[in-house]
């Protein structure tokens, strides 16, 4: 995330004296694009915790794997001569493919590794997913090094496959402020993701099962709903969404596919999920907006020299978490009882 | 009646629910110490006894929410002991639990819809529920968390109605409700009893005797007496002894 | 979990709960009360003493086994962890034990435990650099270590005062959040050093090493540090210790003292309440314990020793970085160690980390004290190593790609296997096998074997 700050130089102009419409637009766009990223990273985590009460520590690593997998598709299918439409098409194909693949992976993980632990105290599921993080991170490092890439830095080749009109160097003028196309793209994707998940939860029968099971899994079972299968489906989909978020990050210079991406996305995801209220999707969306805007605002504050502390955005985000937990632990939209088996 | 017949569909005249010598534990706590009972098609059976004797546990054992360590549970002649609860539920067992267990963030409409097991006829079943309980139609878009106790109880009973249930396991329906509401609830239960058998746990003894055809009396995790409800009152010596009034 | 059930990991609790006086029922029915107190103390501590002796003998054993004139010394170099690595096992093992003290015994997971490690390490280094107000650069290490511990305990109380009102998950998240705040702070705060992200080293104002011993009394002090430390020559006429070995022993003293302190607490009435809180907090509260006070106390103690571990680390390495102290993966390593060793066994955490470091060194890239590849290179023939497995990919390359430097993968796999199949960890499973703590049961078994009339 510190890299994120540095890379955002062009987006935040001026000093305190120059707070004009352009600055506002700039900070707004920056904040909203960050919110979009946070919501995509955190959505899967919330779904899983809401229904199953499992805090999936491997969430960040799965996003990282999705980023590399998506990056691979992008690098292989896009050449320097590819047109903008081709690139977008490949991108969306990658998102769908990674989503499908990681959903399958998630379902397999749930059935083989998580399920045996349901009768044990919840601690063990957290431990298991933590162990998976170690395995995934190191495995990715192995593969990446084998192919000659630098594991700790972003996969530049993948970042470079995005079309010209989305490149960070190509900023559009909106109300006097430079707005990066990629930010708008991210905002659109964020909205689409939220709408898709929301629609799934509120308008489909399975979504109804999940919402009921999130509140009272036992009662849902007594009504004939196969909660165990719902667990598998939700775990799979949660992981799939995490992976899809990774594909998007592969195009973002501030993030990019790298092995540390796992840790870099896990912590903000936790922050968002907890501030929003463990297990509520609406809360996650609200919290992502809050945290995204706080991050964007603090980035501006640092970039414009008002406060000269490079870690300001990160610090504020974590402080928000701590304050929220003290003042309102159930989160912005939290319900008192969460999850269950 | 061959073994394969039994496993597949069960005999036609088998009791809807047949519990045989169930021993159920919560951890190391031996709650049911050999409970045997049965409920046939069309009848309403009451399960009475003091607090803590294991009435709720008996219902939970029937549904395999808390499966018995030993003993068998048969639904429609089919052995379901140890089966996952959702499978037992789809065999025609419905649960109207203590505390109603509403999905509070879901609306009345959603609570009813989620209980429908015949997914091809969701709307039809829902209409059935609203016809039986017209008040619910007006409340359909309200979150059940915002309803009164009596209204929630109606929703719970409606859930039992739409689930294609042959037998309803009803736990303390009148608990915490004012007398007029209790009467409305009783009326609702009579309505559903027209189409389904019922195993009713109820502390309100006169209400239980009024609704039920037969009753079992429980104490210390066992059934200690069973009889028809005809002419039984709370003044009877045995009732007084076990219900401790 | 029903309150009456006792898990193997707290065989202690069952034993001490049933037998208020030591030497009761779990001695297999034999009466030892007629033994003089020193005999009894020796017997009860025998397992601990053996373990300490093994650790104490290690540098010597290592030196002997890897001596050029010893047969098989080449294999030993590759297999056995270096003494430097054992030093890491000592201080990080202490950190892992302090983690187990709170998380394993009260059930409250301290995901941000790295905060205490960082406080301890940074405090020592900053004091030495003269950047801590009220403390001179020349403050004896033992003093700054103690102050760091107290500071960490205060931090623990602050965190606990707000987070112990909430359930376990929230407590874990708050501690994580606080540790991350500190991480970001120390990564960017210009006051601590030139390049805070890279960490801080003990600078020119403090050229001498850090001393462990009784402050200000020269004869009772030995300096630790890989390069600045004291060496000891001619002890008992023939023993010589290098700086690394001296550091090993002096750190060992602190670690042993810390361990015994925590162990005494865990086996005391205070410890029993901690365990009761883990098993069923509501019940403990109902019985009448002020669980909040106990949780605070336990957390403060765990924070104290976590900082001591960090201070030892800084005292030896003479530098500290945010990634190596405050980062949440540091807490993760402690969690790893505690699970593999055995949650709620205290000593198990150290052994869990020993296993981790052993594996890491064994699979480390060449030059870091061993390695599978150099070993295989020496043992297997060149032609076998260059045998092609697939598409020009040799055996040697296979080892290099998949094994060397990737201990983290295998530790992760071991960890997952432990979570699934050995949830009580090494020591926990051993305790279940012997039916109580190893300290009590092993001597009892020996006695039973030989002492029957």
């Amino acid at each position: 995330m510190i890299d994120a700050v540095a890379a955002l130089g062009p987006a935040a102009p001026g000093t305190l004296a120059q707070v004009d419409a352009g600055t506002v637009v700039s900070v707004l766009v920056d904040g909203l694009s960050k919110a979009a990223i946070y919501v995509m990273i955190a959505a899967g985590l919330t779904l899983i915790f809401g229904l199953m009460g499992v805090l999936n520590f491997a969430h960040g690593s799965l996003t990282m794997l999705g980023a590399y997998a998506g990056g691979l598709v992008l690098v292989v299918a896009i050449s320097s001569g590819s047109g903008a439409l081709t690139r977008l098409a490949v991108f969306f194909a990658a998102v769908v493919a990674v989503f499908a693949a990681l959903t399958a992976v998630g379902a397999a993980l749930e059935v083989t590794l998580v399920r045996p632990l349901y009768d044990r105290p919840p601690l063990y599921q957290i431990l298991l997913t933590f162990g998976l993080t170690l395995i995934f991170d190191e495995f990715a490092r192995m593969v990446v090094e084998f192919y000659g890439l630098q594991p700790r830095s972003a996969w530049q080749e993948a970042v470079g496959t995005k079309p010209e009109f989305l490149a960070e160097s190509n900023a559009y003028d909106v109300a006097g402020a430079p707005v990066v196309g990629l930010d708008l793209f991210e905002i659109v994707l964020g909205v689409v993701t939220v709408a898709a998940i929301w629609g799934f939860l509120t308008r489909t029968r399975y979504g109804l099962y999940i919402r009921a099971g999130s509140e009272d899994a036992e009662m849902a079972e007594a009504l004939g709903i196969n909660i165990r299968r719902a667990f598998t489906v939700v775990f799979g989909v949660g992981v799939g969404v995490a992976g899809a978020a990774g594909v998007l990050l592969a195009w973002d210079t501030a993030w990019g596919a790298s092995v540390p991406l796992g840790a870099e996305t896990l912590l903000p995801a936790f922050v968002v999920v907890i501030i929003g209220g463990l297990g509520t999707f609406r809360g996650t969306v609200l919290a992502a907006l809050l945290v995204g805007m706080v991050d964007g605002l603090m980035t501006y504050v640092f970039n414009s020299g008002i406060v000269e502390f490079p870690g300001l955005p990160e610090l504020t985000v974590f402080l928000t978490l701590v304050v929220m937990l003290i003042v309102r632990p159930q989160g912005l939209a939290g319900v008192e009882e969460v999850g269950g088996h | 009646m061959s073994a394969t017949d039994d496993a597949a569909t069960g005999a036609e005249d088998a009791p809807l629910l047949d519990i045989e010598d169930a021993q159920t534990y919560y951890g190391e706590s031996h709650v049911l110490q050999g409970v045997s009972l049965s409920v046939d098609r069309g009848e309403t059976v009451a399960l009475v006894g003091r607090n803590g004797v294991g009435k709720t546990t008996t219902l939970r054992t029937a549904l395999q929410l808390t499966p018995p360590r030993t003993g068998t549970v048969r639904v429609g002649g089919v052995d379901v002991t140890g089966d996952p609860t959702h499978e037992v539920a789809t065999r025609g067992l419905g649960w109207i639990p203590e505390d109603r267990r509403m999905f509070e963030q879901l609306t009345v409409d959603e609570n009813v819809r989620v209980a429908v097991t015949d997914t091809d006829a969701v709307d039809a079943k829902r209409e059935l529920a609203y016809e039986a309980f017209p008040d619910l139609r007006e409340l359909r878009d309200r979150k059940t968390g915002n309803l009164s106790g009596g209204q929630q109880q109606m929703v719970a009973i409606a859930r039992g109605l739409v689930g294609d249930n042959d037998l309803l396991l009803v736990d303390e329906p009148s608990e915490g409700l004012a007398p007029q509401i209790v009467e409305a609830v009783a009326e609702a239960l009579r309505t559903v009893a027209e189409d389904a058998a019922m195993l009713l746990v109820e502390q309100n003894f006169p209400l239980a005797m009024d609704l039920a055809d037969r009753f079992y009396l429980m104490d210390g995790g066992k059934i200690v007496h069973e009889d028809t409800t005809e002419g039984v009152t709370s003044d009877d010596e045995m009732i007084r002894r076990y219900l401790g009034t | 979990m029903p309150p009456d059930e006792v898990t193997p990991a707290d065989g202690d609790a069952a034993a001490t709960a049933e037998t208020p006086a030591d030497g009761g029922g779990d001695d297999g029915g034999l009466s030892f009360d007629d033994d003089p107190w020193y005999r009894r103390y020796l017997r009860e501590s025998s397992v601990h003493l053996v373990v300490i002796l093994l650790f104490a003998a290690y540098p010597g054993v290592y030196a002997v086994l890897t001596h050029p004139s010893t047969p098989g010394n080449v294999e030993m170099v590759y297999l056995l962890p270096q003494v430097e690595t054992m030093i890491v096992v000592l201080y990080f093992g202490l950190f892992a034990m302090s983690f187990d003290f709170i998380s394993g015994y009260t059930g409250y997971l301290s995901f941000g435990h790295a905060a205490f490690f960082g406080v301890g390490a940074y405090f020592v280094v900053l004091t030495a650099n003269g950047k801590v107000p009220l403390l001179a650069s020349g403050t004896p290490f033992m003093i700054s270590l103690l102050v760091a511990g107290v500071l960490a305990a205060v931090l623990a109380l602050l965190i606990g005062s707000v987070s112990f009102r909430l359930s376990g998950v929230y407590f874990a998240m708050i501690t994580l959040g606080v540790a991350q705040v500190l991480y970001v702070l120390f990564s960017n705060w210009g006051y601590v050093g030139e390049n805070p992200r890279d960490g801080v080293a003990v600078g020119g104002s403090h050229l001498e090493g850090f001393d462990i011993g009784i402050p200000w009394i020269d004869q009772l002090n030995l300096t630790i540090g890989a390069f600045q430390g004291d060496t000891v020559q001619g002890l008992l006429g023939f023993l010589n210790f290098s700086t690394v070995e001296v550091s090993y022993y002096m750190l060992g003293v602190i670690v042993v003292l810390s361990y015994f302190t925590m162990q005494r607490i865990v086996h005391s009435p205070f410890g029993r309440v901690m365990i009761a809180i883990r098993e069923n907090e509501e019940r403990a509260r109902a019985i009448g314990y002020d669980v909040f006070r106990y949780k605070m106390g336990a957390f403060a103690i765990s924070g104290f020793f976590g900082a001591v571990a960090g201070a030892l680390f800084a005292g030896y390495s003479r530098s500290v970085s945010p990634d190596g102290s405050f980062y949440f993966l540091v807490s993760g390593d402690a969690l790893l160690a505690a699970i593999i060793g055995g949650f709620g066994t205290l000593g198990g955490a150290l052994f869990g980390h020993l296993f981790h470091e052993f594996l890491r060194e064994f699979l480390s890239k060449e030059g870091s004290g061993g390695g599978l590849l150099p070993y295989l290179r020496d043992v297997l023939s060149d032609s076998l190593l260059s045998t092609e497995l697939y598409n020009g990919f040799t055996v040697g390359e296979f080892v290099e790609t998949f094994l060397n430097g990737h201990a983290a993968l295998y530790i992760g796999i071991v960890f997952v296997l432990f979570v699934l199949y050995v949830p009580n960890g090494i020591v926990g499973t051993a305790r279940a096998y012997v039916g109580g703590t190893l300290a009590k049961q092993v001597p009892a078994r020996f006695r039973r074997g030989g002492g029957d009339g």
Side-chain angles (χ1 to χ4, degrees):
Chain A
M1 240 160 101
I2 296 292
D3 301 324
V5 172
L8 277 161
T15 63
L16 186 55
Q18 281 181 14
V19 178
D20 53 3
T23 320
V24 171
V25 167
S26 175
V27 172
L28 199 68
V29 169
D30 187 34
L32 284 176
S33 71
K34 289 192 163 117
I37 290 180
Y38 288 144
V39 91
M40 283 187 287
I41 296 171
L45 198 61
T46 290
L47 286 175
I48 293 174
F49 191 87
L51 181 65
M52 305 162 67
V54 173
L55 208 53
N56 183 14
F57 250 88
H59 195 80
S61 300
L62 291 159
T63 301
M64 181 264 296
L65 290 178
Y68 272 117
L72 184 65
V73 171
L74 291 169
V75 164
V76 160
I78 294 178
S79 63
S80 49
S82 306
L85 272 178
T86 318
R87 292 173 191 247
L88 281 178
V90 173
F91 174 81
F92 283 110
V95 166
V96 170
V98 168
F99 175 76
L102 280 185
T103 301
V105 166
L109 286 174
E110 196 272 345
V111 170
T112 54
L113 296 176
V114 183
R115 220 182 252 202
L117 297 175
Y118 285 148
D119 297 323
R120 300 228 219 124
L123 166 70
Y124 288 96
Q125 289 139 24
I126 297 179
L127 292 178
L128 179 86
T129 53
F130 176 69
L132 289 177
T133 304
L134 298 175
I135 296 177
F136 291 151
D137 278 2
E138 199 58 34
F139 175 73
R141 191 168 291 127
M142 250 167 39
V143 173
V144 164
E145 275 176 3
F146 180 68
Y147 282 104
L149 288 173
Q150 274 301 320
R152 300 209 63 173
S153 47
W155 193 2
Q156 290 308 324
E157 212 189 329
V159 174
T161 60
K162 62 177 173 288
E164 195 54 36
F165 75 95
L166 288 180
E168 271 91 346
S169 49
N170 199 353
Y172 303 95
D173 199 317
V174 176
V179 165
V180 173
L182 188 67
D183 283 353
L184 294 174
F185 186 61
E186 287 167 355
I187 294 175
V188 168
L189 279 174
V191 169
V192 167
T193 307
V194 169
I197 296 178
W198 191 261
F200 172 67
L201 286 178
T202 52
R203 292 192 200 288
T204 67
R205 187 145 180 91
Y206 215 82
L208 186 61
Y209 289 165
I210 291 172
R211 281 188 296 138
S214 295
E215 271 201 62
D216 193 339
E218 202 180 53
M219 186 67 222
E221 262 210 274
L223 291 175
I225 298 171
N226 189 344
I227 284 293
R228 286 294 146 102
R229 197 193 304 149
F231 280 10
T232 309
V233 169
V234 166
F235 200 87
V237 168
V239 168
V241 172
V247 180
L248 178 65
L249 292 177
W251 260 5
D252 192 325
T253 315
W255 299 84
S258 68
V259 174
L261 186 68
E264 283 167 22
T265 53
L266 182 69
L267 291 168
F270 274 166
V271 170
V272 166
V273 165
I274 291 171
I275 289 181
L278 279 165
T280 126
F281 183 68
R282 198 179 88 219
T284 301
V285 175
L286 290 173
L289 282 168
L290 174 68
V291 173
M293 290 312 300
V294 164
D295 191 338
L297 194 65
M298 288 300 138
T299 306
Y300 165 73
V301 165
F302 166 67
N303 277 349
S304 58
I306 300 174
V307 174
E308 280 178 24
F309 187 72
L312 186 65
E314 248 188 310
L315 194 68
T316 331
V317 166
F318 287 118
L319 277 174
T320 314
L321 171 70
V322 175
V323 167
M324 188 54 113
L325 280 171
I326 295 171
V327 163
R328 194 187 155 88
Q330 70 269 34
L332 293 173
V335 289
E336 283 309 307
E337 303 302 326
V338 203
H341 301 283
Chain B
M1 208 178 353
S2 71
T4 41
D5 272 341
D6 230 7
T9 55
E12 277 302 301
D13 51 351
L16 280 180
L17 174 67
D18 183 25
I19 302 178
E20 199 178 303
D21 195 31
Q23 311 265 353
T24 304
Y25 292 72
Y26 279 134
E28 289 309 307
S29 186
H30 194 172
V31 182
L32 296 189
Q33 306 194 2
V35 167
S36 299
L37 60 81
S38 71
V39 180
D40 280 316
R41 204 166 277 281
E43 58 173 354
T44 300
V45 179
L47 187 56
V48 297
R50 266 195 307 266
N51 267 332
V53 298
K55 308 189 297 293
T56 300
T57 310
T58 304
L59 297 188
R60 290 179 64 94
T61 293
L63 260 179
Q64 304 305 309
L65 284 169
T66 317
R69 208 180 271 191
T70 61
T72 44
V73 176
R74 270 181 276 266
V75 174
V78 179
D79 188 350
V80 298
T81 323
D83 283 358
T85 299
H86 72 270
E87 275 180 26
V88 179
T90 44
R91 282 189 187 280
L93 238 53
W95 193 37
I96 302 175
E98 218 179 352
D99 298 335
R100 291 135 228 153
R101 309 277 287 256
M102 291 288 103
F103 300 119
E104 296 192 353
Q105 296 299 312
L106 271 53
T107 62
V108 167
D109 197 68
E110 286 171 330
N111 267 270
V112 171
R113 276 195 292 129
V114 81
V116 176
T117 43
D118 184 1
T119 44
D120 294 324
V122 177
D123 289 332
K125 292 285 177 186
R126 191 193 39 184
E127 281 314 301
L128 215 75
Y130 289 147
E131 272 163 36
F133 306 109
D135 291 338
L136 292 184
R137 197 191 292 274
E138 279 164 43
L139 297 168
R140 61 192 294 172
D141 290 322
R142 262 230 241 150
K143 285 198 182 170
T144 54
N146 296 332
L147 297 179
S148 72
Q151 290 166 330
Q152 287 184 347
Q153 190 60 270
M154 292 308 189
V155 175
I157 297 174
R159 284 199 304 209
L161 182 65
V162 301
D164 288 332
N165 293 310
D166 298 318
L167 169 62
L168 292 171
L169 302 166
V170 187
D171 201 345
E172 309 273 8
S174 73
E175 193 178 31
L177 300 179
Q180 314 110 286
I181 317 287
V182 171
E183 190 39 50
V185 168
E187 210 27 63
L189 288 175
R190 279 186 208 105
T191 308
V192 295
E194 284 165 19
D195 295 310
M198 209 186 302
L199 179 57
L200 171 68
V201 167
E202 182 51 79
Q203 287 276 32
N204 182 333
F205 191 74
L207 178 63
M209 293 299 111
D210 187 37
L211 289 172
D213 310 309
R214 263 198 309 132
F215 76 94
Y216 290 96
L217 181 53
M218 259 189 98
D219 193 47
K222 296 206 230 322
I223 306 284
V224 294
H225 185 68
E226 80 171 275
D227 204 350
T228 77
T229 56
E230 194 88 33
V232 176
T233 69
S234 47
D235 285 332
D236 287 2
E237 205 225 298
M238 169 159 284
I239 306 302
R240 271 218 309 255
R241 177 162 26 124
Y242 285 107
L243 292 187
T245 20
Chain C
M1 211 187 296
D4 300 306
E5 214 167 72
V6 157
T7 61
D10 56 42
D12 314 343
T16 45
E18 287 158 8
T19 61
D22 276 321
D26 37 274
D27 280 348
L30 298 165
S31 165
F32 295 132
D33 291 329
D34 42 346
D35 269 355
W37 68 269
Y38 49 86
R39 265 259 179 91
R40 202 178 332 142
Y41 182 74
L42 220 62
R43 186 188 355 105
E44 283 163 19
S45 314
S46 55
V47 173
H48 285 126
L49 287 175
V50 166
V51 171
I52 293 174
L53 274 169
L54 286 174
F55 269 90
Y58 186 78
V61 169
Y62 182 82
V64 164
L65 287 178
T66 58
H67 199 264
S69 53
T70 315
N73 73 84
V74 168
E75 283 79 4
M76 284 298 143
V77 168
Y78 296 137
L79 194 64
L80 293 177
Q82 294 175 303
V83 180
E84 285 88 336
T85 309
M86 293 304 281
I87 291 181
V88 176
V89 171
L90 284 178
Y91 65 70
F92 203 84
L94 175 62
F95 177 63
M97 289 196 287
S98 76
F99 173 81
D100 191 34
F101 185 82
I102 181 74
S103 304
Y105 284 91
T106 66
Y108 278 84
L109 288 180
S110 174
F111 274 163
H113 215 65
F116 305 126
F117 192 77
V119 162
Y122 267 91
F123 191 81
V124 163
V125 173
L126 290 177
T127 307
N129 284 345
K131 293 201 172 163
V132 173
L134 300 180
L135 284 179
S137 155
T139 307
F141 177 59
M142 298 304 293
I143 306 272
S144 60
L145 179 144
L146 276 169
V147 176
V150 170
L151 215 64
V154 169
L155 177 66
L157 290 173
L158 279 172
I159 299 175
S161 65
V162 295
S163 51
F164 277 131
R165 300 188 265 127
L166 309 167
S167 73
V169 179
Y170 293 106
F171 172 80
M173 288 298 136
I174 290 188
T175 59
L176 181 61
V178 168
Q180 278 305 112
V181 165
L182 288 172
Y183 172 74
V184 175
L185 205 67
F186 280 85
S187 298
N188 293 288
W189 194 12
Y191 178 71
V192 305
E194 270 288 306
N195 213 339
R197 181 141 284 262
D198 291 337
V200 191
V202 175
S205 59
H206 194 278
L207 288 170
E208 70 273 27
F210 293 103
D211 289 357
I212 290 186
I214 306 202
W216 299 300
I217 303 180
D218 264 342
Q219 290 83 346
L220 293 172
N221 263 305
L222 279 174
T223 311
I224 60 171
F227 305 110
Q228 280 95 339
D230 282 341
T231 61
V232 170
Q233 312 287 346
L235 184 65
L236 298 184
F238 64 97
L239 293 170
N240 293 326
F241 299 104
S242 66
T243 57
V244 171
E245 288 163 347
V246 165
S247 302
Y248 176 80
Y249 285 112
M250 296 319 289
L251 259 81
V253 167
I254 305 286
V255 171
V256 165
L257 285 173
S258 306
Y259 167 73
F260 274 117
T261 311
M262 285 194 279
Q263 201 249 10
R264 282 282 121 220
I265 297 175
V266 153
H267 286 285
S268 73
F270 187 89
R272 258 171 271 147
V273 178
M274 284 168 66
I275 294 172
I277 291 175
R278 180 187 73 203
E279 298 296 314
N280 191 334
E281 189 169 337
E282 270 316 303
R283 193 175 194 242
R285 196 178 288 136
I287 293 177
Y289 289 116
D290 185 350
V291 293
F292 182 72
R293 278 242 181 95
Y294 280 90
K295 289 190 284 192
M296 291 282 268
F299 196 39
I301 295 169
S302 81
F304 177 84
F305 286 110
V308 167
L312 289 177
F313 155 67
Y316 176 71
S317 341
R318 297 178 64 78
S319 74
V320 60
S321 73
D323 275 328
S325 57
F326 282 117
Y327 199 50
F328 81 105
L329 286 181
V330 172
S331 306
D333 275 349
L335 177 65
L336 210 64
I339 292 295
I340 290 180
F343 226 39
T345 61
L346 198 65
L350 188 118
F351 292 107
H353 196 68
L354 174 61
F355 178 74
H356 187 178
E357 287 295 334
F358 167 75
L359 198 66
R360 186 185 298 172
E361 190 173 307
F362 189 62
L363 291 180
S364 69
K365 300 214 182 247
E366 257 201 276
S368 323
L372 186 59
L373 186 54
Y375 174 68
L376 288 177
R377 272 213 200 105
D378 270 355
V379 164
L380 302 175
S381 65
D382 265 341
S383 56
L384 182 59
L385 268 183
S386 46
T387 313
E388 284 192 15
L389 282 174
Y390 165 77
N391 220 10
F393 197 51
T394 67
V395 170
E397 281 170 358
F398 175 83
V399 172
E400 188 63 40
T401 316
F402 290 105
L403 293 175
N404 255 17
H406 293 299
L409 177 69
Y410 302 103
I411 260 274
I413 293 177
V414 167
F415 179 72
V416 168
L417 290 173
F418 265 70
V419 170
L420 286 171
Y421 302 118
V422 194
N424 288 324
I426 298 174
V427 176
T429 312
R431 281 189 181 182
Y433 185 69
V434 299
T437 65
L438 293 173
K440 280 212 168 63
Q441 296 302 332
V442 172
R445 284 188 171 215
F446 273 112
R447 199 57 183 229
R448 229 176 282 143
D452 272 339

